[in-house]
Amino acid sequence: MSVDGYLETLRREGRIVVVGASLAGLRAAETLRAEGFAGTLTMVGDEPHEPYDRPPLSKQVLLGKVPADHTVLPRRRPVDAEWRLGAAATGLDLAAKQVRLADGDAIDYDRLLITTGVRARPWPRELEADLDGVCVLRTRDDAIRLHHRLKAGPRRVLVIGAGFTGSEIASACRERGLPVTVAERGPAPLVGALGGVVGEVAAELQRAHGVDLRCGVQVTGLEGDSAGRVRQAHFSDGTAVESDVVVVALGATRNTEWLADSGLGAGPRGIACDAGCRAFDVRGIVTDDVFVAGDVARSPHPLFGYQFLSLEHWGNAVSQAEVAAHNMISASADRRPHLWMPSFWSAQFGVNIKSVGVPPMADQIIVTQGSLAEQRFTAAYGYQGRVIAAVTFDQAKWLDFYERQIEQAAPFPPEFTTVDRRPEGLQPVPAGFPDPSLPSHGPTVTLSGHSPTDRRVSFTPRRA
Amino acid sequence: MTSVALLHRITDYANRPDPYPLYAELRRTPVVRDESGPYLVSTYWEIKELLHDPRISSDLRNLTPEAARASGQEHDPNLPPAFIRLDPPEHDRLRRLSMRPFGPPHTPRRVFDMHGELEEIVSGLVDGLRGRDTIDLVDDFSYPFPVTVICRILGVPREDESHFHEWADTIAAGLDPVGTAEEREAQVQGVRRARGELAAYLAGLIEERRRSPRDDMLSAMATEHGPDGQMSPVEIITTAALLLIAGHETTVNLITNGMLTLLRNPDVLQRLRVEPGLAVPLVEELLRFEPPVQMLPQRTTLADIDIAGTIIPKGASLYLMVASGSRDPKRFADPDRFVPDRPDNQHLGFGHGLHNCFGAPLARLEAQLALTALVRRLDGPSLVEDPPPYRQNAVLRGPRHLPIAFSGIIG
Ligand SMILES: Cc1cc2nc3c(=O)[nH]c(=O)nc-3n(C[C@H](O)[C@H](O)[C@H](O)COP(=O)(O)OP(=O)(O)OC[C@H]3O[C@@H](n4cnc5c(N)ncnc54)[C@H](O)[C@@H]3O)c2cc1C
C-alpha cells in the first residue's frame, strides 16, 4: 500500500493509544479529533481521575480558594475515546506495536503517543519519607492531603527545596498565616531556574513575607515521634527545626521506568525525540509511530544550539501535544516542528513571575526595565553575546518583546534605551547559575570506542 | 518607503463613513512615513509588536521638537499628563492607584456588581422612548447611558454634565490630526483652555469629597492609602479628567457603531434578539470591525526601531492604526465581513500592552447590555439614513447622529 493510502486508512480507522491521560494527553486527543482522526482512540492513565490541571494545586488549592476536585481541565471538544483510567502502562513492545497494562491487558496501536510526565521526587530515605506529615505535591490527591494538613493548623511547616513548587507552597503557607521554614541547598530560592541575581530578589521576597529561609543548608534527617509523626528536621549546619508538616519539593523524576526494556531512548532525563515529537530508540534512530509530548519529552531546539530541552512547563505540554497529534496523522511533508519558545509563570508572595527562553543557559544578566529593589523588573539574560532569556517580576506585559529578541538572536547586552530603564540596569553582571559542570543526573546514553568502526552507543539505564 | 499624504485623506471628513478602503491601501506598506511627519503603522502583527515594545514611549516629552510641532502634541506645562500619556514607572504607579478603587485585584467585583444598576439605567432610557417612532440613538441613548455610568462611578454630579460634555469634546477633538498650522495652534489653545476649566471644576469636587467621602472613585482616590502611597491632588485631577473623557467619548461610539452595524445586518440583529448570549462575542467583533478608537496617535520612539524592514528613527511620532490592524487579512480571515461569533478574535480595539484600555471591562458590559436591550425592545427598527452623519473626529470615530425609525417599544 502506498504511504498516502496508509495515512488515509490510519486517519479513518487506525488505532491510536495515548499513555498518560493528563494535560498533554488530553490536548493531543482533542487535536487528533479536530484534525479529523476518526479511528479508535484509547487514553491510558494511571491516575483514577479524568485530566485535571496542576498549576492551581500549589496555588489556589492550598489557599482553599479552589477545591482540588474543581481543577478538571476544560474540554475544547469531545474526544470520543476509550478511557482506561487507573490503569498503568507497564511495558511497550515496539515490534508488536503493543502497550501492556498493569491489569494484564495489552492494547495494539498503529500510532502511540507517550505523555507520562513526571512525578515528585520523594524524600530519599524511605523510613523518614514514611513518617506521618511528610508530603510531596504533584497530584490532586497530594494536594488534598497537603491542604488538609495546612487547614489543621500545624505549628510549623518545613519546605525542603526552594524551586518553583517549594516557593509557591511556602507562599501559600504564609498567606494562611502559618509559620514556615524553607531549606534550600543553593544560595537562594529559584537559583537553578533563574540564577543568583534574581534568586536574591526571591529571597528578599520570602523573608519580607516572614518565611524562615535557610539557604546553603541541606536537611540531613527527619525525626519522628513514637507515633510515627514527623516532629523535627536536622540541618547540615547543625541546627534543627520543629515541624509537624514537611513538604519535600526536590523536583521531579520522569515517568519512564515502564519503558526500560522497550528499546526506546527513554531514561531518567526523559524520552528523546526529534523536533517533530517522534521518539528516538536507544540507537538514536527516530521511530515513525511512537510520539512523545509534555514533561516527559526531551526535544532539540534549534534556537538553543539544538540542545535537547526537557521542560516542565504547562504551555510546552499543550503546544507539544498539538504538534505531536498533528504529526501523528500527517504525511511527512506536512509535519511541523515543535519550536515552542520555552516559557512559564509562577505566582508567589503576591508577585507574578514569568520567564521566556532558557535562563539557565545564560552567563550574564541585565535589568533592562524596572528595578530589582522594587521587585518589579524585567531582566534579560545573555549567552555569548546574544539574548537567550528574559524574566519579569510583575512586568509580564513586556515579555512578547523579549521573546522576539530571543527569536532574533538579538545582541546582548541590549543596546537600545527603553522606558523605565534605571541606573542599575546599565551594566550586565554574572547571572549566577550553579556550575553546570557539577553532575546532577546520570547519563542516559554513552559513547565508547575510538575509531569510527568501533564507536558504540550504549544505553545506561537509570541507576537504582 | 514612500512619503504619502494618506493621513490627510484619512482625516478628510468625506472619508469618515468608510475609512476602511484607505486602511487597505495603507496596509500595502506596513510602515509608511506620512508627508506631514509621523510614521503610520497599519498591519496587525507590527502594531501588536510595537504595543509591547519598551522602546515606544507615550510620553510627549520624548518627541523631537519638530515632531511635536508637526503633530500639534506639545506638552501642556499647566497640567501634567494623565497616565495614558506617561511611561513606567510613573504610568504604572498611577494606573495601579487608579485601578485600586475600580478593578482587580483590590476591587475585583466593582464592574460585575454594577450589572443590575446598568440594566436599570438602560431600561429607564428605553422606557423614555415610548410614544416615539424615530429617535436619534446618539442623543437619546448612546450618549446618556455611558455618561450616567461614568458620572456615578466617579461621583460627578450628573447635573454638571453639560459643562464637561463640552470640555470633553474639545479635548477629544484635540487628538485629531487636522488642518494647517494655524488650525493646529487654535486647537491646541482650545484644548488647553478646556483642560484648565475641567481641572478647576474637578479640583472643587475632589476637595468636597475629601471632606465628606462617599462610595465613589473620586472619594476613594482622595482618601485611600495603599502600598503605593496616595495620589497627589493634581494626579487625582488628571486621572479623573482622563476617566471622564474616556467614559464619554468611546462607549458612545461603540454602542452607536454597534446598532448601526446590526441594522445593516438584520439577520444578526434577529439572532441577538433570540440569543442574548451572542452579545459577548458580538461586542468583541464590533471592537474589531468598527472600533471607536481608530488609531493611537500618541506614541514616540526612544531608539531607532527596525520594523517590517523600515527603520523608524528615534524621536519620531508614531501612529498605530489599530482599526486597520484589526482588519488585516494576514491575521483575520475575511476581515471585512462582520462575523458576530468569530473565533480567535484578538482584535486591537482596546489596544494592547501596558496602555491597554483601563475601562475595557466596563465598556464591554455597557455595550453588551445596551445592544441586547435595544434589539429586544425596539419594535421593527430601521435606519433612516445610511450612512448617518459622522463626527469630525477621525481618531475617536462614530456617528454624530443615528436616526432610527421603529414602530414601538416592546415590554
Ligand atoms: C504543583 C504544580 C504546579 C505547577 N505550576 C506551574 C506553573 O505555574 N506554570 C507552568 O508553566 N507549569 C506549572 N506546572 C507544570 C505543569 O503542570 C506541567 O508542565 C504539566 O502538567 C505537564 O503535563 P503532562 O501531561 O506532560 O504531564 P503530567 O501532568 O505529569 O501527566 C502525566 C500523566 O501520566 C500519568 N502516568 C505516568 N506514568 C504512567 C504510566 N506508566 N501509565 C499510565 N499513566 C501514567 C501520570 O500519573 C500523569 O497523570 C506545575 C506542576 C505542578 C505539579
Side-chain angles (χ1 to χ4, degrees):
Chain A
M1 196 185 351
S2 75
V3 175
D4 283 355
Y6 173 75
L7 248 187
E8 222 7 83
T9 318
L10 175 75
R11 294 174 67 98
R12 204 176 49 244
E13 57 200 41
R15 296 158 303 177
I16 292 184
V17 174
V18 177
V19 180
S22 182
L23 178 62
L26 175 64
R27 292 296 177 246
E30 290 163 346
T31 308
L32 285 168
R33 291 302 189 205
E35 297 203 7
F37 173 66
T40 29
L41 183 56
T42 311
M43 306 289 295
V44 180
D46 62 0
E47 292 188 74
H49 315 292
E50 63 174 301
Y52 60 87
D53 209 15
R54 296 179 203 274
L57 298 182
S58 53
K59 305 174 182 83
Q60 295 90 326
V61 171
L62 290 191
L63 290 173
K65 289 186 181 162
V66 171
D69 54 3
H70 283 202
T71 55
V72 173
L73 279 165
R75 298 287 172 94
R76 294 179 176 174
R77 55 166 19 258
V79 292
D80 182 23
E82 188 192 339
W83 293 84
R84 302 287 299 257
L85 296 178
T90 50
L92 169 64
D93 188 332
L94 282 179
K97 294 190 157 199
Q98 213 176 50
V99 174
R100 287 190 301 275
L101 300 191
D103 60 13
D105 261 9
I107 314 177
D108 298 318
Y109 64 81
D110 298 306
R111 294 247 147 109
L112 169 68
L113 176 65
I114 303 175
T115 60
T116 45
V118 303
R119 64 179 182 279
R121 184 171 291 140
W123 185 242
R125 304 188 201 186
E126 259 172 63
L127 282 181
E128 295 176 9
D130 286 345
L131 288 170
D132 184 54
V134 177
C135 317
V136 293
L137 179 54
R138 176 78 200 173
T139 65
R140 172 193 286 184
D141 297 340
D142 295 339
I144 291 173
R145 272 192 295 270
L146 183 54
H147 180 236
H148 273 296
R149 299 268 178 193
L150 299 186
K151 228 170 63 182
R155 278 169 304 146
R156 174 168 292 274
V157 179
L158 169 66
V159 178
I160 309 179
F164 280 104
T165 308
S167 299
E168 287 179 7
I169 294 167
S171 169
C173 288
R174 287 310 299 143
E175 209 171 323
R176 302 192 69 121
L178 297 170
V180 56
T181 298
V182 171
E184 165 60 46
R185 184 173 57 174
L190 310 181
V191 98
L194 304 183
V197 176
V198 174
E200 270 316 308
V201 181
E204 276 298 304
L205 204 55
Q206 296 212 357
R207 296 205 164 100
H209 282 81
V211 175
D212 168 32
L213 174 65
R214 309 199 181 182
C215 295
V217 298
Q218 270 173 277
V219 175
T220 49
L222 301 176
E223 201 180 299
D225 62 13
S226 53
R229 289 181 300 241
V230 72
R231 193 173 62 89
Q232 205 176 36
H234 296 276
F235 297 153
S236 53
D237 62 2
T239 59
V241 138
E242 302 265 335
S243 171
D244 33 16
V245 175
V246 173
V247 191
V248 179
L250 293 173
T253 309
R254 262 114 197 124
N255 289 320
T256 52
E257 291 78 359
W258 65 284
L259 297 164
D261 338 294
S262 64
L264 217 54
R269 292 163 73 183
I271 306 171
C273 62
D274 72 357
C277 308
R278 295 180 298 180
F280 286 116
D281 69 14
V282 294
R283 302 165 302 169
I285 297 178
V286 78
T287 56
D288 207 34
D289 34 35
V290 182
F291 290 73
V292 255
D295 284 8
V296 78
R298 295 176 64 213
S299 69
H301 203 305
L303 259 187
F304 305 99
Y306 292 95
Q307 213 182 100
F308 276 78
L309 299 176
S310 344
L311 301 167
E312 292 174 41
H313 301 168
W314 193 95
N316 181 65
V318 173
S319 150
Q320 199 167 18
E322 288 166 354
V323 172
H326 169 85
N327 289 348
M328 286 173 89
I329 53 169
S330 297
S332 52
D334 299 327
R335 285 180 179 161
R336 288 196 297 256
H338 172 58
L339 294 179
W340 190 75
M341 172 69 74
S343 76
F344 69 86
W345 80 97
S346 170
Q348 45 184 281
F349 304 104
V351 174
N352 171 18
I353 301 175
K354 282 197 167 186
S355 151
V356 288
V358 185
M361 251 181 107
D363 35 42
Q364 289 191 309
I365 182 175
I366 188 165
V367 179
T368 48
Q369 293 176 256
S371 132
L372 296 175
E374 290 164 28
Q375 295 164 350
R376 235 175 235 288
F377 62 88
T378 302
Y381 288 68
Y383 172 65
Q384 297 183 347
R386 54 178 274 207
V387 179
I388 199 87
V391 170
T392 59
F393 272 47
D394 275 347
Q395 295 226 323
K397 281 173 179 163
W398 299 118
L399 267 193
D400 284 7
F401 171 77
Y402 290 91
E403 182 170 335
R404 203 111 316 114
Q405 294 277 300
I406 300 164
E407 284 171 3
Q408 294 165 356
F412 182 94
E415 290 147 357
F416 45 78
T417 31
T418 59
V419 297
D420 209 6
R421 188 87 180 253
R422 314 284 180 88
E424 71 179 279
L426 298 178
Q427 283 303 320
V429 295
F433 282 101
D435 185 349
S437 65
L438 295 174
S440 52
H441 298 277
T444 48
V445 170
T446 51
L447 287 182
S448 57
H450 295 283
S451 72
T453 44
D454 42 62
R455 286 283 269 183
R456 291 276 179 283
V457 176
S458 30
F459 180 61
T460 313
R462 186 186 151 72
R463 282 170 301 187
Chain B
M1 190 192 60
T2 44
S3 172
V4 287
L6 266 171
L7 201 53
H8 185 72
R9 288 168 62 200
I10 289 167
T11 54
D12 181 351
Y13 185 71
N15 289 316
R16 197 71 72 253
D18 188 13
Y20 298 102
L22 286 172
Y23 296 156
E25 207 176 304
L26 207 52
R27 278 193 304 267
R28 285 207 295 260
T29 326
V31 182
V32 291
R33 180 168 195 195
D34 189 74
E35 64 170 20
S36 64
Y39 286 75
L40 315 185
V41 184
S42 56
T43 44
Y44 182 88
W45 295 114
E46 281 69 27
I47 294 173
K48 189 145 175 237
E49 238 176 71
L50 290 173
L51 284 170
H52 287 269
D53 194 321
R55 298 167 300 178
I56 302 298
S57 167
S58 295
D59 191 328
L60 290 181
R61 289 165 287 192
N62 288 316
L63 279 175
T64 59
E66 307 84 73
R69 245 187 325 276
S71 59
Q73 301 190 42
E74 273 155 303
H75 182 54
D76 179 354
N78 296 321
L79 195 61
F83 62 78
I84 197 172
R85 314 300 303 268
L86 289 174
D87 291 336
E90 295 90 342
H91 162 274
D92 294 2
R93 185 184 135 261
L94 283 175
R95 185 169 159 134
R96 273 199 308 274
L97 278 166
S98 343
M99 208 52 162
R100 269 183 90 81
F102 181 70
H106 300 284
T107 324
R109 296 179 55 90
R110 174 131 213 162
V111 171
F112 181 82
D113 286 346
M114 291 189 70
H115 211 282
E117 202 179 338
L118 297 185
E119 258 176 351
E120 252 172 60
I121 303 174
V122 167
S123 47
L125 285 167
V126 178
D127 288 341
L129 307 177
R130 267 184 226 286
R132 297 174 54 181
D133 50 12
T134 52
I135 51 165
D136 172 11
L137 188 78
V138 177
D139 285 346
D140 292 324
F141 184 90
S142 309
Y143 180 75
F145 174 42
V147 168
T148 307
V149 175
I150 194 70
C151 285
R152 277 204 201 166
I153 290 180
L154 281 172
V156 169
R158 183 75 172 78
E159 311 84 80
D160 296 341
E161 189 275 319
S162 61
H163 304 295
F164 53 73
H165 179 28
E166 213 178 294
W167 297 324
D169 257 5
T170 311
I171 295 170
L175 287 172
D176 223 19
V178 289
T180 61
E182 297 86 75
E183 285 168 335
R184 260 313 135 78
E185 189 49 36
Q187 196 186 49
V188 169
Q189 293 306 330
V191 169
R192 251 178 221 184
R193 200 172 329 107
R195 281 168 60 95
E197 287 169 14
L198 177 57
Y201 169 76
L202 287 170
L205 208 56
I206 290 160
E207 194 38 47
E208 246 176 78
R209 290 293 184 279
R210 192 194 315 281
R211 273 187 266 115
S212 44
R214 304 185 196 168
D215 182 25
D216 56 42
M217 267 183 83
L218 279 185
S219 307
M221 291 194 289
T223 56
E224 273 180 13
H225 292 260
D228 288 298
Q230 223 194 342
M231 283 195 225
S232 73
V234 174
E235 286 168 347
I236 302 177
I237 294 175
T238 55
T239 305
L242 169 65
L243 301 185
L244 198 56
I245 292 168
H248 254 74
E249 299 292 331
T250 50
T251 318
V252 183
N253 291 338
L254 180 57
I255 295 170
T256 314
N257 291 338
M259 203 53 196
L260 176 61
T261 306
L262 287 172
L263 290 167
R264 284 174 177 167
N265 294 271
D267 51 322
V268 180
L269 188 147
Q270 190 48 40
R271 249 187 91 188
L272 180 59
R273 198 172 267 159
V274 292
E275 200 186 313
L278 185 65
V280 174
L282 183 140
V283 167
E284 295 313 302
E285 176 69 345
L286 271 177
L287 285 157
R288 184 194 73 78
F289 186 76
E290 284 279 25
V293 181
Q294 295 271 303
M295 57 192 111
L296 303 172
Q298 305 178 323
R299 298 289 201 283
T300 175
T301 43
L302 293 178
D304 293 357
I305 292 176
D306 183 346
I307 185 113
T310 300
I311 309 249
I312 305 177
K314 177 178 172 172
S317 158
L318 206 58
Y319 281 48
L320 302 177
M321 310 299 287
V322 283
S324 165
S326 289
R327 291 218 190 184
D328 186 344
K330 288 216 176 80
R331 175 60 182 80
F332 297 100
D334 210 353
D336 292 324
R337 212 157 67 84
F338 184 73
V339 183
D341 43 11
R342 182 180 285 273
D344 183 26
N345 195 352
Q346 302 284 321
H347 57 77
L348 301 170
F350 285 127
H352 244 272
L354 84 155
H355 287 284
N356 81 319
C357 176
F358 179 96
L362 180 62
R364 285 191 160 106
L365 186 59
E366 287 178 343
Q368 289 159 11
L369 294 176
L371 295 174
T372 317
L374 287 171
V375 303
R376 297 198 120 186
R377 300 198 54 203
L378 295 187
D379 195 4
S382 65
L383 282 175
V384 173
E385 204 184 339
D386 194 3
Y390 271 78
R391 305 166 62 177
Q392 167 55 40
N393 207 318
V395 176
L396 304 177
R397 171 181 166 269
R400 173 59 193 94
H401 300 287
L402 186 66
I404 293 179
F406 55 99
S407 44
I409 297 293
I410 303 168

